[in-house]
Amino acid sequence: VSDGLSERVHRAATNLGYRANVSARGLRLSRTMTMGVVFERMDAPVYLDILTGLTAAADEIGYSILVANADADPDRQRHFVRQMYERRVDALLLSGLRGTVRGELEPFSRAGIPTLGLFGRDRDARDIPVAISPQEKQLTTILARLKELGHRKVMYLGGVGALATRWKILQNAAADVGGLALEQCLMPFETPLPELRDRYAQVFESHRDATALFVHSWNIAAMNAALRVRGETIPDDWSVVTFTDSRYTAALNDPPLSALWIDSVEFGRQTLAIIEDWLAGTPPPSVNLLDLAVWHETESIGSARPR
Amino acid sequence: VSDGLSERVHRAATNLGYRANVSARGLRLSRTMTMGVVFERMDAPVYLDILTGLTAAADEIGYSILVANADADPDRQRHFVRQMYERRVDALLLSGLRGTVRGELEPFSRAGIPTLGLFGRDRDARDIPVAISPQEKQLTTILARLKELGHRKVMYLGGVGALATRWKILQNAAADVGGLALEQCLMPFETPLPELRDRYAQVFESHRDATALFVHSWNIAAMNAALRVRGETIPDDWSVVTFTDSRYTAALNDPPLSALWIDSVEFGRQTLAIIEDWLAGTPPPSVNLLDLAVWHETESIGSARPR
DNA sequence: CTGAAAGCGCTTACAG
DNA sequence: CTGAAAGCGCTTACAG
């Protein structure tokens, strides 16, 4: 066909408002140009960051994203994984895989559809390849730095439940460094601020040999409140480090807190790059370490106060 | 067919791993059981809440959600709206419609596909029906309450840009109440905390007749820091009220802040209910007011300090 | 090079 | 009641 004719036809099609039907094409080609994302839960800003990275990278290669939230319910997780198969997604991303969906994954593996687990730091599941952001290396660096500043006892203020793995990683890093005692104070995430504040104030009183704090971002407000009650300040009385995996919980403290930071948007992007290679014929290894943790030191840490 | 046979066939189908192909069914029925959501941007936790409500309500009626993030780029917004049509979504939800997508909406209106705009509080666009959470009523209540407590000048600490509409609404409410002066201090959201803190400290110094603060949730940390610098406390020196549209930014202050709270998860749910009615044959009015704003008073407000 | 036909996996209307 | 056929909107292999 001549260029001129081709152009005229295209123009006419556009004017008439013709738009190709992607599902019909998908049926014919058995490629839907759609990927499914099933989040085990969606109740923290980090999931929005991951989704932002995933959707941006997917769009770059012409894919759309179907999103589902299992809301911490294994039955719903199974339901959505099955739904993604019924919609014949070309790839499936699963966060927080707990082994509950194994049966529903079978059609995917039989059909050779790429299926990748997204884990911030867990590394137990082995049914399908997983993408993980390791933090051990940076934690070792941080603990060594605290030791250098004279700290000998570090306390972790965290939440019970899903994030307990962080405590394990912290222990491993402390063992690597040596000569550092570690203590934890885990409280349910639902604890009201006044109660959390009073609990922390008690803990600070009864652990006067501790001089440094690791604090989960959800607990920063309560920590600040407890310090205010006790008239203690950062970094004179306590050196403080926080974990953060989201843009929204970072750097809003006074003074800004030293942080072990993971760029979850980038995590989403790199995860999708793994899928892209897989679709192109290169399956990933069973564990994909995305080295995204960054140590950001601020004036919130300093020399250990004398005890 | 007898019940027994039917059951045996179903069991056999399940055992063989048969799963209906939803796109094929969609092609036949010209219903894809899919809805598209195009967010103008996705850089705040409120979008995750809305998405949570939308996906939950969609699943209840058998629909899946395709999600896209235009990342504040009108070209990308157009691109995704077109993409949603090409995928023949049964309904389209658009956040932050700026009139830039008008042309791409034409196929939707021609095909009679429900298309709804999601706006927290804006009410300018009129191309398509919109869902809005009005706040005027509650703001009037709050300002009247502050006046009753002896406050005569209220300051708004906010960010420049999209949320400027909040300032307008605040002014209207103040006009309703009468006898209250209103002042604003708008700063770019990117302002680093120390700069914002110092700026607020200056503002507090130069507006000694103001006794109450409305503060956007992004600016709470800087406000606290400025108060600390000046040795002022809540509610003795300042009565403080915040706006919040997300689970993640609420109630983490000490003392907990009085808040005008919008449940954005519920906003997503109710928005989808509008779509559901529309699909069932009842189109919505051009403006849908979802009355979700709730006034939550805490000890962060009290009598105006003498000036 | 061009155009008509087959077929992707469903559902529904229709004939037997 | 049962079974075969038509057709949704595409793409590709094939015949002309």
Side-chain angles (χ1 to χ4, degrees):
Chain A
V1 190
S2 71
D3 278 5
L5 178 58
S6 161
E7 197 199 320
R8 276 166 58 206
V9 169
H10 274 109
R11 191 132 36 89
T14 305
N15 287 341
L16 291 168
Y18 173 79
R19 297 278 186 282
N21 182 325
V22 175
S23 353
R25 180 186 297 154
L27 183 58
R28 179 63 238 260
L29 302 181
S30 46
R31 290 181 71 202
T32 56
M33 301 309 282
T34 303
M35 296 183 188
V37 184
V38 178
F39 286 110
E40 189 201 23
R41 51 201 313 153
M42 227 166 70
D43 56 359
V46 57
Y47 298 107
L48 190 64
D49 281 356
I50 293 175
L51 191 60
T52 299
L54 288 176
T55 52
D59 181 57
E60 284 167 16
I61 57 171
Y63 276 83
S64 298
I65 297 282
L66 281 168
V67 64
N69 169 24
D71 210 10
D73 177 351
D75 287 337
R76 290 173 64 79
Q77 199 170 22
R78 273 191 292 272
H79 161 73
F80 285 121
V81 169
R82 167 188 287 243
Q83 183 182 86
M84 293 301 176
Y85 183 76
E86 287 174 349
R87 291 179 179 271
R88 298 298 189 276
V89 292
D90 295 336
L92 178 66
L93 298 144
L94 287 171
S95 87
L97 183 63
R98 291 264 176 276
T100 60
V101 293
R102 205 167 306 193
E104 298 299 336
L105 288 177
E106 208 272 329
F108 287 91
S109 58
R110 193 163 9 146
I113 299 167
T115 309
L116 188 67
L118 310 184
F119 299 91
R121 35 209 98 77
D122 215 74
R123 43 174 71 189
D124 307 302
R126 284 289 180 276
D127 291 349
I128 56 173
V130 293
I132 292 169
S133 288
Q135 309 179 13
E136 282 85 345
K137 204 177 57 185
Q138 289 81 0
L139 275 176
T140 304
T141 305
I142 297 168
L143 288 174
R145 173 85 175 113
L146 289 174
K147 189 179 173 187
E148 180 185 285
L149 287 165
H151 298 273
R152 292 296 173 264
K153 185 163 186 176
V154 177
M155 171 139 344
Y156 173 58
L157 307 179
V160 294
L163 294 160
T165 43
R166 214 167 253 174
W167 170 244
K168 253 184 288 174
I169 297 172
L170 204 52
Q171 283 181 304
N172 292 343
D176 280 359
V177 173
L180 270 177
L182 220 53
E183 193 106 12
Q184 68 175 333
C185 172
L186 297 188
M187 298 284 285
F189 276 117
E190 308 78 38
T191 313
L193 181 79
E195 192 182 325
L196 207 52
R197 177 196 57 204
D198 296 344
R199 176 80 185 109
Y200 285 165
Q202 282 170 22
V203 168
F204 295 165
E205 179 61 31
S206 58
H207 292 78
R208 300 195 54 83
D209 50 339
T211 56
L213 295 171
F214 270 83
V215 57
H216 184 272
S217 49
W218 286 86
N219 300 324
I220 292 174
M223 174 196 71
N224 281 330
L227 293 178
R228 203 172 316 138
V229 166
R230 296 178 51 78
E232 299 181 323
T233 60
I234 303 169
D236 295 337
D237 299 294
W238 294 93
S239 288
V240 177
V241 175
T242 186
F243 296 96
T244 177
D245 49 15
S246 158
R247 291 173 283 182
Y248 313 109
T249 48
L252 282 180
N253 206 70
D254 180 48
L257 297 185
S258 302
L260 180 54
W261 151 266
I262 292 181
D263 184 342
S264 298
V265 177
E266 185 58 25
F267 181 78
R269 287 195 156 274
Q270 294 197 13
T271 294
L272 206 104
I274 294 170
I275 292 286
E276 191 181 350
D277 290 344
W278 198 343
L279 287 168
T282 311
S286 66
V287 177
N288 298 268
L289 299 177
L290 307 183
D291 196 13
L292 294 170
V294 173
W295 166 230
H296 184 66
E297 185 173 332
T298 73
E299 69 259 35
S300 78
I301 72 173
S303 299
R305 72 167 186 285
R307 292 301 188 184
Chain B
V1 192
S2 72
D3 278 6
L5 178 58
S6 161
E7 198 200 320
R8 275 167 59 205
V9 169
H10 275 108
R11 190 133 37 91
T14 305
N15 286 340
L16 292 168
Y18 174 77
R19 295 279 185 283
N21 182 326
V22 175
S23 353
R25 179 186 299 154
L27 181 59
R28 179 62 238 261
L29 302 180
S30 46
R31 290 180 73 203
T32 56
M33 301 307 283
T34 303
M35 297 184 186
V37 185
V38 178
F39 287 109
E40 190 201 22
R41 49 199 316 153
M42 228 165 70
D43 56 358
V46 58
Y47 299 107
L48 190 64
D49 281 357
I50 293 174
L51 191 61
T52 299
L54 289 176
T55 51
D59 181 56
E60 284 168 14
I61 56 172
Y63 276 83
S64 298
I65 296 281
L66 281 169
V67 63
N69 168 25
D71 210 9
D73 176 351
D75 287 337
R76 289 171 67 77
Q77 200 171 21
R78 273 190 291 274
H79 161 72
F80 286 121
V81 169
R82 166 187 286 242
Q83 182 182 85
M84 293 300 177
Y85 183 76
E86 287 174 347
R87 290 177 180 273
R88 296 299 188 276
V89 292
D90 294 337
L92 178 66
L93 297 143
L94 287 171
S95 87
L97 184 61
R98 293 263 175 275
T100 60
V101 294
R102 206 167 304 192
E104 298 299 336
L105 288 177
E106 209 273 330
F108 287 92
S109 58
R110 190 161 15 144
I113 300 167
T115 309
L116 188 68
L118 310 183
F119 299 92
R121 37 210 95 79
D122 215 73
R123 44 175 67 191
D124 308 301
R126 282 290 179 276
D127 291 347
I128 56 174
V130 293
I132 292 170
S133 288
Q135 310 179 12
E136 281 85 346
K137 206 176 55 186
Q138 288 81 1
L139 275 177
T140 304
T141 305
I142 297 168
L143 287 174
R145 174 84 176 113
L146 288 174
K147 189 179 173 187
E148 181 186 285
L149 288 166
H151 298 273
R152 291 296 172 265
K153 184 161 186 178
V154 177
M155 168 134 352
Y156 172 58
L157 307 179
V160 294
L163 294 159
T165 44
R166 213 166 253 172
W167 171 244
K168 254 185 287 176
I169 298 172
L170 205 52
Q171 282 181 304
N172 293 343
D176 281 359
V177 173
L180 270 177
L182 219 53
E183 193 105 14
Q184 68 175 334
C185 171
L186 298 187
M187 297 285 285
F189 277 117
E190 308 75 41
T191 314
L193 181 79
E195 193 181 325
L196 207 53
R197 175 196 59 204
D198 295 344
R199 176 81 185 111
Y200 286 165
Q202 281 170 23
V203 167
F204 295 165
E205 179 61 33
S206 58
H207 292 79
R208 299 195 55 82
D209 49 340
T211 56
L213 295 171
F214 270 83
V215 56
H216 185 271
S217 49
W218 287 85
N219 300 324
I220 292 174
M223 175 196 71
N224 280 331
L227 293 178
R228 203 171 316 140
V229 165
R230 295 178 50 78
E232 298 181 325
T233 60
I234 303 168
D236 296 337
D237 299 294
W238 294 94
S239 288
V240 177
V241 176
T242 187
F243 296 99
T244 176
D245 51 12
S246 159
R247 292 173 283 183
Y248 312 109
T249 47
L252 283 180
N253 207 69
D254 180 47
L257 297 185
S258 301
L260 180 55
W261 152 266
I262 293 180
D263 184 341
S264 298
V265 177
E266 186 57 26
F267 181 79
R269 285 195 158 276
Q270 294 198 15
T271 294
L272 207 104
I274 295 170
I275 293 285
E276 191 179 349
D277 289 344
W278 198 343
L279 287 168
T282 311
S286 66
V287 177
N288 298 269
L289 298 177
L290 307 183
D291 195 14
L292 294 170
V294 173
W295 166 228
H296 183 66
E297 184 174 330
T298 72
E299 70 257 37
S300 78
I301 72 174
S303 299
R305 71 165 187 287
R307 292 299 189 188

